[in-house]
Amino acid sequence: MRTQRALNNSNNNNNMADDDEEKEKGADEIIEEVVAMEQWKDKRANKLDLDDFLALLAEFNKRGVHFA
């Protein structure tokens, strides 16, 4: 799995708080961080409603992980 940033070899999102730290992380580390967040750690994909699912995708999108 590759992030959009890795495909473009650049960072187009200048609004990230920890920009340098995020560049060094791989997609697997970013995914682990997101799913370990308090709001997601006890939920399973088949139990998410549409709003939760879209919020989860938005969190990934903020961190540069895009699903096609």
Side-chain angles (χ1 to χ4, degrees):
M1 185 176 305
R2 292 179 243 153
T3 65
Q4 187 69 27
R5 191 177 316 126
L7 292 173
N8 290 337
N9 197 21
S10 66
N11 184 8
N12 295 329
N13 187 359
N14 294 328
N15 295 329
M16 288 184 152
D18 297 326
D19 193 32
D20 293 332
E21 184 177 321
E22 290 292 328
K23 281 187 199 178
E24 301 299 321
K25 293 181 184 176
D28 55 339
E29 293 171 332
I30 295 171
I31 292 170
E32 287 291 327
E33 284 181 3
V34 172
V35 297
M37 292 173 63
E38 189 66 33
Q39 63 194 27
W40 307 117
K41 72 176 187 175
D42 294 329
K43 295 189 177 185
R44 299 293 175 251
N46 64 344
K47 302 295 182 189
L48 294 177
D49 62 15
L50 183 59
D51 292 331
D52 287 339
F53 183 70
L54 291 175
L56 180 61
L57 288 179
E59 186 65 37
F60 282 121
N61 192 23
K62 284 193 306 189
R63 295 170 183 253
V65 178
H66 306 281
F67 298 94

